[in-house]
């Protein structure tokens, strides 16, 4: 186990615009060592590292402590990882990625940290690794990867993490919480605001308010940024209705008021905050749509809708957008990429 | 006034795939004389007529009794029209077309017949011509205009017509009904199943069940025909939800059960009927979408939604689709046509 002398051993799976930034901030601290699993970008990262241009942290070439092609390669020398951090997209409707990390998951030592959006992302991991703690984590991050190995970052990096289902855990939750807190401290020392939440599902639902509305509508409305969406009164009303459904479902399911960026979550406040941003936001789903990549609609819409209905909350606007989004995606995924 | 000896004088406004077919069936009877107002297609129709290829009625060149460029030209010789039949698209959000026919509307003699889809299409005409009867009419027609002046028609031509707001009419409703029935007889003699309904709004809501669901979803789902829509379980469920909302709103507003093609309207029946068609249906809105033409969403969705809410019926699925449809349209209308 990591002490203050031994660095925390981290295996990073998913080294896109999100994983590379958080891996970087761990490695630069000197208190954690990141082994990065690079699949499509292995050659570029192995030879040249990530070129990161960050408003918050400056421009730097980030060479991870170690770069490997596969998880098997990462454990071939017997290395034991304290954390496996998964930063891939959550696409449970297409692929169950939970098996990929299996060679690196020591039972019960390894903490599986999932930095992903949406609801229900932990389920495949909890089913496959019942004795391992899962640190469910949400990122607020404005980064993109304009080309392979080149990362652009703005100023936001906030992380919000917490144990998944601590009440039914088979492990010593206070010991695990201390290890998660220690990792969050490493991030904080290198400039990443990282907080530990007791009820991370509340945070997930709170973040979903924006993701299930602006994100999804940007695509099904034909490809619009936040400014274009808010300029249409009908679209603004729709976003309000979607947010209201998410808030109602989330509060019913978690049993308490949702809090978004420090304040009680209301649709009006979140819309007004978005409206007041200096630049229009291009939601991540819209970027996926434009690049003809799969969208995270299963964890952003399907799972929340199913949970809401199970708890007796009607979510007709969410259902409508979900049906349309899956149709839109099916069309472009079936077409050849240009 | 028309008697059995004098032909019924008809001014036809809107001579696309719909107007040309119904004008043709009136003219060929010999019992009505159609003056066709041709705007964009004047030169073609004046010199060569409409080339109509119809499975039901055969192939024929249709030369209207008279072809004019404008309504002013149609009345320049003092001609008095018994009917002005409007077959334009209903786009009240973009343009109030009711003024176009003004020179030909004799107060109170002329019956204004509107052959259009949707709800609330009569309002601009009723406001502008308070003393003229309005014959509100729905067409079931499978025709298209692949090029200017060339019309392709299948086998369906059914018309369903009735007086708009007869209870508050300032005219002799039985005399007007007789004139409308006489026109319907002319159509019937030339093979068009034309019926007169006492409560035409019931028929409008019944037709809306399909138009507010398959038609609209075909566009906001990214461009799908009926087969593609029904192959997605989520999309099929959405269409069912939209139909259920239309049926509930229509039955609340009209005060009686809706009937669709002779049977009590249920979402399941209408979906199954569509599912069982030998060929997938390409809805008219999808054709408009592909051609980057304005869509009739104001009369297919906006007006029904407003009426439903006024009557206390929740229509969240319809509202969602409406918001998205207007956004999708705004995008393509703002782009140059290729």
């Amino acid at each position: 186990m990591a002490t203050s002398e031994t660095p925390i051993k981290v295996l990073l799976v998913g080294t896109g615009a999100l994983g590379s930034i958080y891996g970087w901030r761990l490695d630069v601290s000197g208190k954690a060592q990141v082994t990065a699993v690079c699949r499509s970008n292995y050659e570029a990262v192995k030879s040249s590292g990530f070129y990161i241009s960050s408003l918050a942290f400056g421009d730097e070439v980030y060479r991870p402590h170690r770069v490997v092609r596969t998880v098997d390669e990462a454990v071939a020398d017997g290395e034991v990882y304290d954390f496996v951090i998964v930063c891939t997209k959550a696409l449970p409707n297409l692929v169950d990625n939970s098996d990929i990390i299996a060679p690196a998951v020591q039972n019960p030592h390894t903490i599986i940290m999932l930095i992903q959006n949406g609801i229900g992302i932990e389920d495949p991991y909890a089913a496959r690794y019942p004795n391992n703690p899962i640190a469910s984590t949400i990122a607020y991050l404005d980064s993109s990867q304009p080309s392979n190995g080149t990362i652009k970052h703005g100023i936001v990096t906030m992380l919000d993490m917490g144990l998944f289902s601590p009440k039914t855990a088979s492990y010593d939750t206070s010991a695990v919480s201390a290890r998660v807190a220690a990792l969050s401290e490493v991030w904080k020392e290198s400039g990443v605001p990282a907080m530990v939440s007791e009820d991370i599902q509340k945070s997930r639902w709170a973040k979903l308010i924006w993701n299930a509305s602006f994100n999804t509508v940007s695509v099904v409305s034909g490809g619009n940024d936040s400014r274009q969406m808010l300029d249409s009164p009908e679209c603004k009303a729709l976003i309000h209705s979607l947010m209201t459904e998410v808030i109602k479902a989330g509060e019913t399911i978690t049993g308490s008021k949702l809090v978004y960026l420090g304040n009680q979550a209301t649709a009006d406040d979140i819309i007004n905050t978005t409206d007041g941003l200096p630049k229009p936001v291009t939601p991540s789903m819209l970027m996926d749509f434009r690049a003809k990549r799969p969208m995270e609609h299963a964890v952003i819409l399907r799972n929340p809708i199913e949970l809401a209905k199970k708890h007796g909350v009607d979510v007709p606007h969410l259902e409508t957008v979900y049906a349309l989004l899956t149709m839109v995606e099916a069309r472009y995924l079936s077409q050849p990429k240009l």
Side-chain angles (χ1 to χ4, degrees), chain A residues 44-67:
Chain A
V45 176
K46 180 78 182 172
S47 65
S48 324
F50 293 95
Y51 179 73
I52 304 181
S53 175
S54 166
L55 281 178
F57 305 115
D59 294 0
E60 199 175 307
V61 171
Y62 163 47
R63 292 178 177 278
H65 174 72
R66 190 154 69 121
V67 180

Side-chain angles (χ1 to χ4, degrees), chain A residues 1-12 22-23 25-35 62 65-66 79-85 109-111 113 161 176-189:
Chain A
M1 192 176 294
T3 69
S4 55
E5 284 79 38
T6 12
I8 303 173
K9 299 286 174 65
V10 170
L11 184 69
L12 182 67
Y22 290 115
R25 302 324 293 167
L26 288 176
D27 254 335
V28 295
S29 71
K31 296 183 175 167
Q33 286 179 346
V34 174
T35 297
Y62 163 47
H65 174 72
R66 190 154 69 121
E79 182 70 286
V80 173
Y81 295 96
D82 303 308
F83 284 85
V84 172
I85 304 186
H109 172 71
T110 309
I111 298 175
M113 176 174 276
M161 61 195 75
V176 168
S177 292
R179 290 171 60 202
V180 171
L183 191 72
S184 80
E185 290 302 321
V186 176
W187 265 312
K188 282 199 242 176
E189 285 176 33

Side-chain angles (χ1 to χ4, degrees), chain A residues 1 75 79-84 101-112 125-134 169-172 176 179:
Chain A
M1 192 176 294
V75 296
E79 182 70 286
V80 173
Y81 295 96
D82 303 308
F83 284 85
V84 172
I101 62 170
V105 178
Q106 297 267 336
N107 179 353
H109 172 71
T110 309
I111 298 175
I112 301 168
Y125 294 87
R128 194 180 291 267
Y129 311 105
N131 302 318
N132 288 84
I134 295 176
S170 58
Y171 52 82
D172 175 350
V176 168
R179 290 171 60 202

Side-chain angles (χ1 to χ4, degrees), chain A residues 111-131:
Chain A
I111 298 175
I112 301 168
M113 176 174 276
L114 306 173
I115 311 187
Q116 293 176 317
N117 277 319
I119 300 295
I121 56 146
E122 307 90 349
D123 296 338
Y125 294 87
R128 194 180 291 267
Y129 311 105
N131 302 318

Side-chain angles (χ1 to χ4, degrees), chain A residues 204-319:
Chain A
R204 290 204 165 275
W205 279 95
K207 190 167 185 211
L208 194 69
I209 302 169
W210 204 95
N211 278 339
S213 54
F214 276 106
N215 230 322
T216 62
V217 170
S218 73
V219 174
V220 283
S221 67
N224 293 284
D225 65 28
S226 59
R227 179 76 273 131
Q228 293 166 315
M229 287 187 267
L230 292 176
D231 281 348
S232 155
E234 291 86 8
C235 195
K236 188 173 178 178
L238 169 59
I239 283 169
H240 194 280
S241 300
L242 291 163
M243 288 183 167
T244 304
E245 289 180 2
V246 173
I247 293 169
K248 187 163 180 210
E251 295 190 340
T252 303
I253 289 160
T254 65
S256 57
K257 292 283 170 204
L258 299 186
V259 171
Y260 189 77
L261 299 177
N263 298 304
Q264 190 193 318
T266 74
D268 285 329
D269 284 350
I270 298 173
I271 287 174
N272 288 339
T273 301
T274 305
D275 205 10
L277 293 175
K279 280 193 203 170
V281 181
T282 301
S284 58
M285 270 193 181
L286 183 51
M287 294 192 234
D288 290 334
F289 170 71
R290 287 180 178 157
K292 301 196 176 188
R293 291 187 299 247
M295 298 181 287
E296 293 184 297
H297 48 66
V299 297
I300 299 289
L301 289 173
R302 188 198 65 192
N303 293 352
I305 288 169
E306 282 177 7
L307 266 182
K309 289 165 96 169
K310 204 185 280 179
H311 285 77
V313 179
D314 275 345
V315 289
H317 297 88
L318 290 168
E319 284 178 301

